[in-house]
Amino acid sequence: MKSTILAGALLAFATATGVHGQAIKLADVAELSGGGATVGTNWKNGIDLAIEEINAKGGVLGRKLEVTHADSQSNPGVARAQVQKALDAEPYVLLGPGYSGSVKVTAPLAAEAGITQIMGGEAAELTQAGNKYLFRTSFGQQSSMPKVAKYIHDEMKAKTVAVVWVNNDFGRGGRDVVVKELDRLGSKVVADLSTEAGQADFAADVGKIKAANPDAVFVYLNEEESARILKELKRQGVTAPLMGETTLIGQKVIELAGDAANGARGHVGLTTDAPVDLIKAFREKFSKKYNYVPDHNGLKGYLAVYMVKATTEKMGKVDPKAFADTLHGLTIKAADEPGILMDVTFDQNGDIDRQSFLVEVVEGKQVVKQVLPKVK
Amino acid sequence: MSNLFDLLVAGLATGAIYALVAVGFTLLWQTSQTINFAQGEFVMLPAFLMLAAMHAGAPFWLAIILGILLSMLLLGLAFKLLLVDPMMRHGVLPLAIATMALAIGIKEAVKQFFSAEASPFPSIVPTGDISLLGHAVSLQSIGVLVLAILAVFGLTTLLNRTSLGHQMQAAAQNPTVARIIGVPVERMILLTFLINAFLVALASLLITPIYLAKFSSGEVLGQAAFVAAIVGGFNQVRGAIAGGLLIGVLDNLAASYVSTQYRAAVPLIFLIVVILFRPQGLLGRAEERTV
């Protein structure tokens, strides 16, 4: 009898110790192949780097972080299946995807499961549907596009603008906001061109831009297509200034487009060229580990994990149900949590507020021209 | 109108690449009744072979030579000996399915060994414009067009004006009779595979600076070239050339004058119309073989 009690006590002790020492499981679903491979690969590498750092310093509340990566193939249908599979394994937090279309179809699944989803999508509508479990790692288009339109109107002094966008949720969302804002400011959209994801040949689209002869061109495509259209714009001798968002002036785009990227300007919520010491340190660590300079998606993946760390430490417990409530309205200061890189606040919709940057590509490098303050 | 001229030149340049790839479809079909559904991946792979050579330290010109030679070895010789010959015994359908599997295999292998991300690729044609009939035309378009035309011209000269070409045609049209009159049919068929491998390597060299080197880039090219080959006539080299140029131009004109949103549908609608009214293709022969 004594031995049975002793065995039971030992078992209980072992179980309790085991639970305490058990890893905190995160699930990542990202665009590891397909059109968004650049997005997903950077995002994944950022996540892995953050987890490695956090675990090396003892983890979160004494527990290690563990992540599983799944490939959405840049396809919303596959993303949905992968997210469902990931949720079935009951992760603490879901990370990704990066494409707005994939976030749109997966967010209801995470919300239904009561699991917080920290994602990279930028489509305005994502956080406007009342989903309490969805959080951004970057600006939504409702925050970034008005800044873009204002820059085109005020700084570029463009009376006429050509708008080129990719025909998916990301592109349509950005296009709708920027066209509305340009109209409000008094800049006329003289060409409104939709292109396809994965499109290889932009000769006809650029031909239309040339024919419209705008004062400025707003380019809102995914990274690879951005590089292709930049080359075609140069090839056809379009001299109007080019304005875009993060996807126009990212490192991968610069690498792919070469000289053609020079002169392109963009508003970026995050850039590894930001004049911020913590971001510079991140860039160095990332480049050392992966042998390339990350784009903003690397930063987003990294931040996502540090959002998990800061929120969990704020709660003082690992509680997936209380996670979203804690993150809403939370301000995380870089002084307290250096991994968050810049002071950041999350509002009740899961949208983010922090400094942002206006960047120009000069001789193959991003140069930050202006630092824009937090909105609130 | 100036826009139309630019569109025509750009369309012809892209179409010339389609033509190079489409010619490969017709060559293999004529000599071995093979439809190679990995033809798009055959265009994608040489660029990565060249990139691998450059990463290993080879200068661009040497990487091009190595890439072309390796392509001829892998996509010509090995493809014929290791896949087409063994599968041919089981009929055309198993062979076609095997080439589909090969396409997936090549794509996945490139993704695994290189990266799923696109890579830049240097251009053999300098960037910049030249003045042509009062228009600024990009050197890259002209260069691609000229090189592709030279390749096709060389091929048609070989086929129509040389003894070797006549032997190849004889082997394609009737292997039994060709054997009787002393044509080394097997060698001629192998030569066709090698020529196809050379053409796809050339197409890869010309198109990758524009499309970027990516494991999935063969999908678009393979599909466009397949449509071009059918439209032009699957059993005629000149049909494939015409089909390629037509699809390239049509795609650009459709994107510009119809809708960028439906550009992908226009060549397919054109394909359906051609098949309905001229199933053998615009320049194809109604009969499959003649003696």
Side-chain angles (χ1 to χ4, degrees):
Chain A
M1 189 63 187
K2 263 185 179 177
S3 62
T4 313
I5 293 168
L6 187 64
L10 279 172
L11 185 66
F13 177 74
T15 311
T17 314
V19 166
H20 181 70
Q22 225 173 42
I24 300 171
K25 289 180 181 168
L26 307 177
D28 168 41
V29 177
E31 292 72 11
L32 301 178
S33 66
T38 301
V39 174
T41 306
N42 274 282
W43 167 265
K44 172 188 177 292
N45 290 345
I47 288 172
D48 287 341
L49 177 62
I51 288 180
E52 193 181 293
E53 277 177 18
I54 292 168
N55 286 344
K57 289 180 184 167
V60 177
L61 302 179
R63 291 168 64 176
K64 303 271 180 196
L65 291 178
E66 239 178 52
V67 68
T68 55
H69 296 289
D71 182 9
S72 75
Q73 298 171 21
S74 308
N75 177 331
V78 177
R80 194 176 156 86
Q82 292 286 19
V83 163
Q84 187 58 64
K85 194 175 157 193
L87 291 171
D88 288 346
E90 297 180 354
Y92 178 46
V93 172
L94 174 69
L95 307 175
Y99 268 16
S100 296
S102 294
V103 174
K104 194 173 158 185
V105 297
T106 56
L109 298 178
E112 197 177 315
I115 298 294
T116 297
Q117 182 174 9
I118 302 176
M119 51 80 184
E122 295 180 7
E125 62 180 308
L126 297 177
T127 49
Q128 291 169 352
N131 183 337
K132 289 180 184 166
Y133 292 91
L134 195 61
F135 291 87
R136 292 187 193 276
T137 49
S138 62
F139 287 117
Q141 291 157 338
Q142 73 278 20
S143 310
S144 58
M145 288 302 144
K147 291 184 181 181
V148 167
K150 192 169 182 328
Y151 187 82
I152 291 172
H153 181 266
D154 294 353
E155 307 279 334
M156 291 178 154
K157 313 276 182 212
K159 290 194 173 69
T160 55
V161 185
V163 177
V164 197
W165 47 284
V166 56
N167 189 14
N168 57 23
D169 287 317
F170 159 76
R172 254 193 316 276
R175 177 257 171 213
D176 289 349
V177 184
V178 88
V179 166
K180 193 173 141 199
E181 283 296 312
L182 285 169
D183 185 51
R184 190 178 65 78
L185 293 167
S187 290
K188 191 179 175 198
V189 175
V190 287
D192 185 7
L193 305 173
S194 117
T195 66
E196 292 305 312
Q199 186 172 319
D201 187 352
F202 285 92
D205 309 277
V206 173
K208 281 185 171 177
I209 293 170
K210 265 183 97 171
N213 193 24
D215 296 332
V217 185
F218 175 66
V219 183
Y220 201 58
L221 312 178
N222 296 130
E223 277 87 349
E224 282 165 29
E225 291 79 29
S226 288
R228 291 190 186 116
I229 201 169
L230 281 171
K231 289 176 128 195
E232 189 62 32
L233 283 160
K234 187 178 182 203
R235 202 166 74 101
Q236 293 198 28
V238 172
T239 52
L242 308 175
M243 180 67 187
E245 240 278 331
T246 321
T247 50
L248 183 66
I249 37 79
Q251 288 297 338
K252 188 69 187 176
V253 179
I254 295 173
E255 182 198 339
L256 293 174
D259 289 352
N262 286 336
R265 280 174 265 184
H267 166 260
V268 294
L270 288 167
T271 168
T272 52
D273 289 301
V276 175
D277 289 342
L278 288 169
I279 292 181
K280 284 180 189 162
F282 161 82
R283 177 182 165 132
E284 203 170 303
K285 281 183 282 185
F286 191 105
S287 310
K288 197 171 165 193
K289 183 169 165 66
Y290 299 108
N291 289 322
Y292 75 97
V293 178
D295 70 1
H296 66 287
N297 292 294
L299 282 157
K300 281 155 79 170
Y302 185 82
L303 285 168
V305 178
Y306 275 100
M307 283 165 67
V308 174
K309 178 175 183 281
T311 310
T312 308
E313 287 175 347
K314 166 90 178 166
M315 289 192 291
K317 59 181 177 176
V318 178
D319 184 349
K321 300 294 171 200
F323 189 96
D325 286 341
T326 310
L327 192 47
H328 280 132
L330 184 66
T331 294
I332 308 169
K333 290 193 174 292
D336 303 331
E337 177 47 83
I340 212 75
L341 305 177
M342 286 186 287
D343 292 356
V344 60
T345 302
F346 296 92
D347 71 9
Q348 287 310 311
N349 292 327
D351 283 326
I352 206 165
D353 187 13
R354 68 176 162 222
Q355 287 181 330
S356 61
F357 311 92
L358 269 161
V359 166
E360 182 173 343
V361 181
V362 180
E363 292 176 2
K365 288 193 175 128
Q366 287 187 353
V367 176
V368 175
K369 294 283 179 181
Q370 286 180 38
V371 178
L372 305 175
K374 276 177 87 173
V375 177
K376 290 173 189 163
Chain B
M1 277 315 275
S2 68
N3 192 25
L4 176 65
F5 184 82
D6 293 340
L7 287 172
L8 281 175
V9 174
L12 284 172
T14 314
I17 303 287
Y18 295 161
L20 280 182
V21 187
V23 163
F25 276 118
T26 63
L27 282 177
L28 296 195
W29 174 256
Q30 282 183 295
T31 51
S32 54
Q33 302 289 293
T34 308
I35 299 178
N36 177 18
F37 285 106
Q39 185 80 348
E41 281 65 34
F42 275 31
V43 182
M44 173 272 290
L45 186 63
F48 281 96
L49 296 174
M50 293 173 201
L51 278 178
M54 280 188 275
H55 287 164
F60 187 37
W61 63 268
L62 182 60
I64 292 173
I65 295 171
L66 286 173
I68 291 175
L69 289 176
L70 272 173
S71 299
M72 291 172 78
L73 189 70
L74 292 173
L75 308 177
L77 188 67
F79 173 55
K80 180 181 184 299
L81 297 182
L82 302 180
L83 194 133
V84 176
D85 288 352
M87 290 305 295
M88 197 60 162
R89 289 180 217 124
H90 305 289
V92 172
L93 187 60
L95 175 58
I97 293 168
T99 63
M100 288 177 201
L102 179 66
I104 297 168
I106 293 175
K107 251 191 326 199
E108 292 302 314
V110 170
K111 189 168 93 179
Q112 199 63 35
F113 287 114
F114 286 86
S115 162
E117 294 186 65
S119 302
F121 191 85
S123 171
I124 54 166
V125 185
T127 51
D129 292 340
I130 54 165
S131 182
L132 190 70
L133 302 174
H135 295 269
V137 181
S138 89
L139 271 172
Q140 205 167 24
S141 291
I142 299 288
V144 167
L145 191 55
V146 168
L147 282 170
I149 287 173
L150 279 178
V152 169
F153 178 75
L155 176 68
T156 46
T157 307
L158 173 78
L159 288 177
N160 299 327
R161 308 237 180 240
T162 67
S163 161
L164 191 66
H166 292 149
Q167 289 183 64
M168 285 174 71
Q169 291 199 55
Q173 285 173 8
N174 195 319
T176 310
V177 173
R179 266 190 203 98
I180 292 168
I181 60 172
V183 173
V185 171
E186 278 307 309
R187 207 183 302 161
M188 292 303 116
I189 292 174
L190 177 62
L191 186 60
T192 313
F193 277 79
L194 292 176
I195 289 173
N196 176 47
F198 174 78
L199 290 179
V200 289
L202 182 65
S204 189
L205 183 63
L206 296 175
I207 199 88
T208 313
I210 303 166
Y211 280 27
L212 304 173
K214 190 167 182 192
F215 76 98
S216 58
S217 64
E219 291 165 10
V220 179
L221 270 174
Q223 190 189 336
F226 189 61
V227 170
I230 296 174
V231 164
F234 218 84
N235 53 17
Q236 287 289 312
V237 167
R238 60 188 177 157
I241 297 165
L245 294 173
L246 251 177
I247 294 297
V249 171
L250 189 70
D251 180 48
N252 261 348
L253 293 182
S256 195
Y257 296 116
V258 182
S259 160
T260 44
Q261 275 175 294
Y262 301 113
R263 69 187 298 173
V266 173
L268 293 176
I269 292 167
F270 184 53
L271 170 73
I272 292 166
V273 172
V274 169
I275 289 176
L276 277 177
F277 294 101
R278 202 173 155 79
Q280 70 272 33
L282 295 174
L283 300 178
R285 285 190 306 250
E287 69 282 356
E288 284 195 354
R289 281 171 182 263
T290 54
V291 178

